[in-house]
């Protein structure tokens, strides 16, 4: 296996006396989809927030391309090329795709005015690259389909050179056709060298997309293995029994 692009070593996070994540190890390789599974309360959500800078680790270390880094805020994570795509996508439904892509990071002219032309050109280029059939650039995203909204959220993450995407239930609430479209997009992103953490309760999605699978229980690592060495029954056993 290639050297990890991102590596967690002995990462621990506590809230009061509760160990939400305890001595967790995880390695992400560029160009792989890494499935993360576990029951509610297994520690997946906390781990995602540690990776995205929402929470700071209490112990252990996070390494990027071999160098230790500190993630003290989401901006720190973004600066290191780590982007989080939440299940609710965190889009502003009343704004169009261009405005959502640049929300909080707008381009401006030398006079300090919003550079609408530059933002629209960049949005057209990026969204067209992800889906050449997407033409609703100026439609409020609240009117877009679930799959289109997911694409806008992914495009927003890629706009500023994300190398690592943490995706929470990316196909939840999507119909079969849109799920297939999002799954195909995830594969294309991995082929471009982006490391993807796929957090899902859907075993079918995880086995369909992941190169490796990690199972957590009670904040701890249960197992990590290539998908080819696992089957759904074995993964369910790991999730339930924790061994």
């Amino acid at each position: 296996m290639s050297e990890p692009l991102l590596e967690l070593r002995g990462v621990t996070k506590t809230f009061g006396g509760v160990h939400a994540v305890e001595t967790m190890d995880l390695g992400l390789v560029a160009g792989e989809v890494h499935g993360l599974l576990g029951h509610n309360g297994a520690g997946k959500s906390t781990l995602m927030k540690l990776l995205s800078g929402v929470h700071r680790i209490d112990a252990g270390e996070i390494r990027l391309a071999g160098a230790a880094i500190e993630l003290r805020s989401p901006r720190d994570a973004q600066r290191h090329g780590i982007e989080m795509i939440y299940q609710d996508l965190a889009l502003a439904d009343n704004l169009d795709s261009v405005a959502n892509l640049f929300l909080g990071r707008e381009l401006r002219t030398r006079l300090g005015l919003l550079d609408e032309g530059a933002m629209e050109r960049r949005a057209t280029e990026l969204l067209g690259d992800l889906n050449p059939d997407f033409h609703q650039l100026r439609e409020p995203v609240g009117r877009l389909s679930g799959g289109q909204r997911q694409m806008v959220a992914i495009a927003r993450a890629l706009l500023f050179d994300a190398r690592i995407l943490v995706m929470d239930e990316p196909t939840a609430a999507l119909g079969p056709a849109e799920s297939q479209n999002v799954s195909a997009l995830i594969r294309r992103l991995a082929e471009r060298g982006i490391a993807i953490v796929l957090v899902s309760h859907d075993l079918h999605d995880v086995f369909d997309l992941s190169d490796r699978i990690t199972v957590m229980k009670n904040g701890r690592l249960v197992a990590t293995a290539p998908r080819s060495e696992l089957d759904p029954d074995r993964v369910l056993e790991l999730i339930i029994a924790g061994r």
Side-chain angles (χ1 to χ4, degrees), residues 10-100:
V11 165
T12 295
K13 180 64 182 179
T14 60
F15 298 98
V18 177
H19 283 77
V21 173
E22 188 171 3
T23 59
M24 181 70 185
D25 295 330
L26 182 72
L28 305 175
V29 176
E32 80 163 343
V33 180
H34 196 127
L36 182 62
L37 291 167
H39 277 314
N40 289 335
K44 305 186 306 297
S45 294
T46 300
L47 187 66
M48 287 189 294
K49 290 175 180 177
L50 293 173
L51 285 173
S52 58
V54 174
H55 296 321
R56 297 179 65 174
I57 65 173
D58 293 328
E61 66 175 355
I62 300 175
R63 303 183 71 84
L64 180 66
I69 61 171
E70 285 190 52
L71 301 179
R72 295 164 292 187
S73 70
R75 284 201 177 276
D76 277 348
Q78 291 169 348
R79 183 167 53 84
H80 287 295
I82 305 168
E83 292 276 355
M84 175 78 199
I85 300 177
Y86 292 97
Q87 185 174 350
D88 64 8
L89 304 181
L91 298 174
D93 285 348
N94 61 313
L95 300 180
D96 61 29
S97 297
V98 178
N100 268 281

Side-chain angles (χ1 to χ4, degrees), residues 124-135:
T124 299
E125 176 187 355
L126 183 56
L127 290 166
D129 181 49
L130 295 178
N131 181 1
D133 297 323
F134 181 76
H135 304 295

Side-chain angles (χ1 to χ4, degrees), residues 214-232:
T214 287
V215 176
M216 294 181 69
K217 186 178 178 66
N218 297 330
R220 287 181 169 270
L221 172 68
V222 175
T224 295
R227 179 193 56 188
S228 58
E229 296 179 6
L230 298 168
D231 60 59

Side-chain angles (χ1 to χ4, degrees), residues 18-242:
V18 177
H19 283 77
V21 173
E22 188 171 3
T23 59
M24 181 70 185
D25 295 330
L26 182 72
L28 305 175
V29 176
E32 80 163 343
V33 180
H34 196 127
L36 182 62
L37 291 167
H39 277 314
N40 289 335
K44 305 186 306 297
S45 294
T46 300
L47 187 66
M48 287 189 294
K49 290 175 180 177
L50 293 173
L51 285 173
S52 58
V54 174
H55 296 321
R56 297 179 65 174
I57 65 173
D58 293 328
E61 66 175 355
I62 300 175
R63 303 183 71 84
L64 180 66
I69 61 171
E70 285 190 52
L71 301 179
R72 295 164 292 187
S73 70
R75 284 201 177 276
D76 277 348
Q78 291 169 348
R79 183 167 53 84
H80 287 295
I82 305 168
E83 292 276 355
M84 175 78 199
I85 300 177
Y86 292 97
Q87 185 174 350
D88 64 8
L89 304 181
L91 298 174
D93 285 348
N94 61 313
L95 300 180
D96 61 29
S97 297
V98 178
N100 268 281
L101 258 61
F102 288 92
L103 190 61
R105 298 184 278 191
E106 291 84 0
L107 301 182
R108 296 188 178 274
T109 67
R110 285 179 294 178
L111 298 177
L113 303 175
L114 291 179
D115 195 336
E116 295 284 358
M119 289 189 288
E120 182 166 331
R121 288 191 296 273
R122 185 70 183 97
T124 299
E125 176 187 355
L126 183 56
L127 290 166
D129 181 49
L130 295 178
N131 181 1
D133 297 323
F134 181 76
H135 304 295
Q136 296 89 343
L137 197 68
R138 287 301 187 179
E139 189 82 11
V141 298
R143 299 180 187 173
L144 301 181
S145 69
Q148 290 171 331
R149 288 166 54 83
Q150 184 69 251
M151 183 187 66
V152 172
I154 292 171
R156 183 177 58 188
L158 297 179
L159 184 62
F160 294 93
D161 300 321
R163 292 191 286 169
I164 298 155
L165 291 182
V166 184
M167 306 184 72
D168 184 17
E169 303 284 358
T171 61
L174 298 183
E178 290 214 305
S179 291
Q180 290 178 3
N181 290 339
V182 171
S183 295
L185 177 55
I186 290 171
R187 292 190 192 95
R188 292 202 303 274
L189 295 174
E191 288 170 0
R192 296 178 186 184
I194 295 173
I196 298 171
V197 181
L198 177 64
V199 183
S200 179
H201 290 93
D202 189 327
L203 284 180
H204 178 269
D205 269 0
V206 171
F207 273 87
D208 185 44
L209 289 168
S210 300
D211 300 296
R212 285 190 296 152
I213 295 172
T214 287
V215 176
M216 294 181 69
K217 186 178 178 66
N218 297 330
R220 287 181 169 270
L221 172 68
V222 175
T224 295
R227 179 193 56 188
S228 58
E229 296 179 6
L230 298 168
D231 60 59
D233 288 340
R234 175 59 179 146
V235 169
L236 279 174
E237 180 185 355
L238 292 169
I239 291 172
I240 295 168

